[in-house]
Amino acid sequence: MNIIVCLKQVPDTNEVRINQETGTLIRDGVPSIINPDDKNALEAALTIKDEKGGKVTVISMGPPQAKEALREALAMGADEAILVSDRAFGGSDTWATATVLTAAIEKVGNYDIILCGRQAIDGDTAQVGPEIAEFLNVPQITYAKEVRVGEDKVTVTRFTETGDYVIESKLPVLLTAIKELNVPRYPSVKGIFKAYAPDADAIVVWGINDLVIDLTQIGLKGSPTNVYKSFVPTKSKTAEIIDGIDGKEKAAVLISKLADLKLI
């Protein structure tokens, strides 16, 4: 069973700040993490490997610092890690990102299952996984809440707001994971030593020249969508002290003010 997991290194959103002048994210000094849904996807892959055997390959598109996310994936139990990194990929939207990842997956080849997180917390589009499936022309099942793997098929419980659906698909197939699917494991001691050893060099790096790809479909120029501005909503608070002789009078004033605001 050969499984490919696409994961992304994202800023820890609890620490994200916005440059109020430019409207862009301030990434300097902000800790980065593996996108949470992608970690669920990785755990699903490792669980399948534990049960069925096989190989788990993780792929990430990003700057050189994304190697840290890949090292964590290796420490958790992944067998191979590939970083797709090139300045030509900068500014890619979901379409261009899926184009690059598809080219990397095609180069790896020989896959049975592709696992992605439902969406990334820095974009929340939930588009990249489904786009990869379309580019590869393989079936897809999104919002996977439970996954059972047979000899040549998968049975997936798919979460929706109106109820769960049980869907079966032949392999190969692309699945997107949600947090309800599992609880990601911690890296093992052995895995940590292997992935973070001073002489560890288990991460393969592919650039633009290593992939068969349409250059007009990648990067900022190849992206059909663009984010022109990001901003944090302005929060304002006001307070008013209600005076009165006693609690009864204060309550009467409060009720009057709430009625004027049509809140009661």
Side-chain angles (χ1 to χ4, degrees):
M1 185 70 63
N2 293 316
I3 308 168
I4 295 176
V5 180
C6 297
L7 61 82
K8 182 179 183 182
Q9 185 186 58
V10 296
D12 188 335
T13 52
N14 291 327
E15 302 291 337
V16 163
R17 295 169 293 150
I18 301 292
N19 184 316
Q20 296 300 323
E21 294 183 1
T22 64
T24 57
L25 293 177
I26 300 174
R27 295 180 181 269
D28 293 341
V30 179
S32 296
I33 59 174
I34 294 178
N35 181 58
D37 285 351
D38 297 349
K39 223 170 188 180
N40 293 112
L42 175 58
E43 174 59 34
L46 296 174
T47 299
I48 295 170
K49 174 189 169 183
D50 291 343
E51 295 174 354
K52 303 289 184 180
K55 178 181 179 181
V56 173
T57 301
V58 289
I59 301 176
S60 183
M61 172 180 154
Q65 70 184 46
K67 281 186 176 182
E68 290 306 307
L70 291 172
R71 290 195 191 282
E72 183 177 351
L74 289 170
M76 289 174 65
D79 300 288
E80 183 179 15
I82 300 169
L83 175 63
V84 185
S85 184
D86 198 292
R87 289 188 179 275
F89 304 147
S92 291
D93 69 352
T94 59
W95 175 277
T97 298
T99 298
V100 174
L101 289 173
T102 297
I105 291 169
E106 289 178 328
K107 181 168 182 174
V108 173
N110 191 30
Y111 53 83
D112 299 295
I113 299 174
I114 301 168
L115 275 155
C116 304
R118 169 190 53 178
Q119 61 192 45
I121 59 175
D122 62 347
D124 288 336
T125 64
Q127 294 175 352
V128 172
E131 286 173 339
I132 291 173
E134 288 297 313
F135 292 159
L136 291 171
N137 194 30
V138 298
Q140 59 177 288
I141 306 175
T142 56
Y143 292 74
K145 182 179 177 181
E146 183 180 351
V147 177
R148 298 182 298 279
V149 180
E151 290 299 321
D152 60 350
K153 66 180 181 181
V154 293
T155 304
V156 176
T157 301
R158 182 179 188 268
F159 168 81
T160 74
E161 293 180 351
T162 57
D164 295 345
Y165 294 82
V166 178
I167 303 174
E168 190 174 279
S169 173
K170 292 184 178 180
L171 303 178
V173 64
L174 182 143
L175 311 176
T176 69
I178 60 176
K179 65 180 181 179
E180 290 81 4
L181 178 58
N182 52 46
V183 177
R185 68 190 66 186
Y186 289 103
S188 67
V189 174
K190 182 179 179 180
I192 291 172
F193 274 102
K194 182 178 179 181
Y196 292 93
D199 59 346
D201 190 24
I203 298 175
V204 177
V205 181
W206 289 343
I208 188 70
N209 295 324
D210 298 303
L211 303 174
V212 178
I213 196 167
D214 183 349
L215 301 183
T216 66
Q217 301 296 304
I218 63 170
L220 186 60
K221 292 184 178 180
S223 298
T225 59
N226 291 283
V227 177
Y228 291 99
K229 185 179 181 180
S230 298
F231 64 94
V232 176
T234 302
K235 297 180 181 179
S236 60
K237 295 181 179 180
T238 58
E240 180 180 350
I241 305 299
I242 298 176
D243 296 320
I245 298 175
D246 53 29
K248 185 176 181 180
E249 183 177 343
K250 293 179 182 179
V253 174
L254 175 60
I255 291 172
S256 176
K257 290 182 177 293
L258 293 175
D260 291 340
L261 294 171
K262 300 186 184 303
L263 294 175
I264 58 173

